[in-house]
PDB file of all heavy atoms in Angstrom:
ATOM      1  N   THR A  73      40.994  -2.999 -41.510  1.00 44.00           N
ATOM      2  CA  THR A  73      39.621  -3.487 -41.434  1.00 44.00           C
ATOM      3  C   THR A  73      39.426  -4.783 -42.188  1.00 44.00           C
ATOM      4  O   THR A  73      38.540  -5.549 -41.880  1.00 44.00           O
ATOM      5  CB  THR A  73      38.664  -2.434 -41.990  1.00 44.00           C
ATOM      6  OG1 THR A  73      39.169  -2.005 -43.259  1.00 44.00           O
ATOM      7  CG2 THR A  73      38.525  -1.265 -41.042  1.00 44.00           C
ATOM      8  N   THR A  74      40.244  -4.995 -43.168  1.00 43.00           N
ATOM      9  CA  THR A  74      40.058  -6.235 -43.928  1.00 43.00           C
ATOM     10  C   THR A  74      41.240  -7.153 -43.736  1.00 43.00           C
ATOM     11  O   THR A  74      41.677  -7.824 -44.642  1.00 43.00           O
ATOM     12  CB  THR A  74      39.893  -5.945 -45.424  1.00 43.00           C
ATOM     13  OG1 THR A  74      41.088  -5.329 -45.873  1.00 43.00           O
ATOM     14  CG2 THR A  74      38.717  -5.037 -45.669  1.00 43.00           C
ATOM     15  N   ALA A  75      41.701  -7.129 -42.541  1.00 43.00           N
ATOM     16  CA  ALA A  75      42.878  -7.937 -42.253  1.00 43.00           C
ATOM     17  C   ALA A  75      42.742  -9.377 -42.698  1.00 43.00           C
ATOM     18  O   ALA A  75      43.686  -9.928 -43.262  1.00 43.00           O
ATOM     19  CB  ALA A  75      43.201  -7.872 -40.771  1.00 43.00           C
ATOM     20  N   PRO A  76      41.609 -10.038 -42.499  1.00 46.00           N
ATOM     21  CA  PRO A  76      41.524 -11.444 -42.881  1.00 46.00           C
ATOM     22  C   PRO A  76      41.708 -11.644 -44.376  1.00 46.00           C
ATOM     23  O   PRO A  76      42.110 -12.709 -44.795  1.00 46.00           O
ATOM     24  CB  PRO A  76      40.109 -11.838 -42.460  1.00 46.00           C
ATOM     25  CG  PRO A  76      39.692 -10.811 -41.483  1.00 46.00           C
ATOM     26  CD  PRO A  76      40.377  -9.563 -41.881  1.00 46.00           C
ATOM     27  N   ALA A  77      41.368 -10.633 -45.136  1.00 44.00           N
ATOM     28  CA  ALA A  77      41.429 -10.817 -46.574  1.00 44.00           C
ATOM     29  C   ALA A  77      42.870 -10.967 -47.049  1.00 44.00           C
ATOM     30  O   ALA A  77      43.136 -11.703 -47.989  1.00 44.00           O
ATOM     31  CB  ALA A  77      40.782  -9.641 -47.283  1.00 44.00           C
ATOM     32  N   VAL A  78      43.744 -10.283 -46.390  1.00 44.00           N
ATOM     33  CA  VAL A  78      45.120 -10.265 -46.887  1.00 44.00           C
ATOM     34  C   VAL A  78      45.837 -11.595 -46.660  1.00 44.00           C
ATOM     35  O   VAL A  78      46.374 -12.153 -47.611  1.00 44.00           O
ATOM     36  CB  VAL A  78      45.891  -9.096 -46.264  1.00 44.00           C
ATOM     37  CG1 VAL A  78      47.337  -9.124 -46.704  1.00 44.00           C
ATOM     38  CG2 VAL A  78      45.222  -7.797 -46.649  1.00 44.00           C
ATOM     39  N   PRO A  79      45.793 -12.130 -45.432  1.00 46.00           N
ATOM     40  CA  PRO A  79      46.451 -13.437 -45.245  1.00 46.00           C
ATOM     41  C   PRO A  79      45.867 -14.484 -46.161  1.00 46.00           C
ATOM     42  O   PRO A  79      46.573 -15.365 -46.635  1.00 46.00           O
ATOM     43  CB  PRO A  79      46.175 -13.763 -43.779  1.00 46.00           C
ATOM     44  CG  PRO A  79      45.891 -12.461 -43.142  1.00 46.00           C
ATOM     45  CD  PRO A  79      45.256 -11.621 -44.176  1.00 46.00           C
ATOM     46  N   GLU A  80      44.603 -14.364 -46.433  1.00 47.00           N
ATOM     47  CA  GLU A  80      43.984 -15.323 -47.335  1.00 47.00           C
ATOM     48  C   GLU A  80      44.675 -15.252 -48.696  1.00 47.00           C
ATOM     49  O   GLU A  80      45.014 -16.264 -49.287  1.00 47.00           O
ATOM     50  CB  GLU A  80      42.501 -14.979 -47.464  1.00 47.00           C
ATOM     51  CG  GLU A  80      41.711 -16.018 -48.221  1.00 47.00           C
ATOM     52  CD  GLU A  80      40.297 -15.561 -48.454  1.00 47.00           C
ATOM     53  OE1 GLU A  80      39.981 -14.401 -48.155  1.00 47.00           O
ATOM     54  OE2 GLU A  80      39.505 -16.384 -48.914  1.00 47.00           O
ATOM     55  N   ALA A  81      44.857 -14.000 -49.077  1.00 43.00           N
ATOM     56  CA  ALA A  81      45.506 -13.824 -50.370  1.00 43.00           C
ATOM     57  C   ALA A  81      46.930 -14.348 -50.308  1.00 43.00           C
ATOM     58  O   ALA A  81      47.412 -14.973 -51.249  1.00 43.00           O
ATOM     59  CB  ALA A  81      45.493 -12.349 -50.741  1.00 43.00           C
ATOM     60  N   VAL A  82      47.569 -14.124 -49.168  1.00 46.00           N
ATOM     61  CA  VAL A  82      48.955 -14.579 -49.033  1.00 46.00           C
ATOM     62  C   VAL A  82      49.015 -16.093 -49.036  1.00 46.00           C
ATOM     63  O   VAL A  82      49.835 -16.698 -49.704  1.00 46.00           O
ATOM     64  CB  VAL A  82      49.564 -14.014 -47.736  1.00 46.00           C
ATOM     65  CG1 VAL A  82      50.909 -14.648 -47.467  1.00 46.00           C
ATOM     66  CG2 VAL A  82      49.678 -12.499 -47.855  1.00 46.00           C
ATOM     67  N   GLY A  83      48.088 -16.672 -48.267  1.00 45.00           N
ATOM     68  CA  GLY A  83      48.089 -18.130 -48.163  1.00 45.00           C
ATOM     69  C   GLY A  83      47.777 -18.771 -49.496  1.00 45.00           C
ATOM     70  O   GLY A  83      48.221 -19.874 -49.775  1.00 45.00           O
ATOM     71  N   GLY A  84      46.975 -18.081 -50.287  1.00 48.00           N
ATOM     72  CA  GLY A  84      46.639 -18.622 -51.597  1.00 48.00           C
ATOM     73  C   GLY A  84      47.867 -18.673 -52.481  1.00 48.00           C
ATOM     74  O   GLY A  84      48.918 -18.125 -52.165  1.00 48.00           O
ATOM     75  N   SER A  85      47.693 -19.359 -53.584  1.00 52.00           N
ATOM     76  CA  SER A  85      48.826 -19.512 -54.482  1.00 52.00           C
ATOM     77  C   SER A  85      49.199 -18.179 -55.118  1.00 52.00           C
ATOM     78  O   SER A  85      50.358 -17.913 -55.363  1.00 52.00           O
ATOM     79  CB  SER A  85      48.492 -20.537 -55.572  1.00 52.00           C
ATOM     80  OG  SER A  85      47.350 -20.081 -56.288  1.00 52.00           O
TER      81      SER A  85
END
Side-chain angles (χ1 to χ4, degrees):
Chain A
T73 49
T74 62
V78 176
E80 188 186 7
V82 171
S85 59

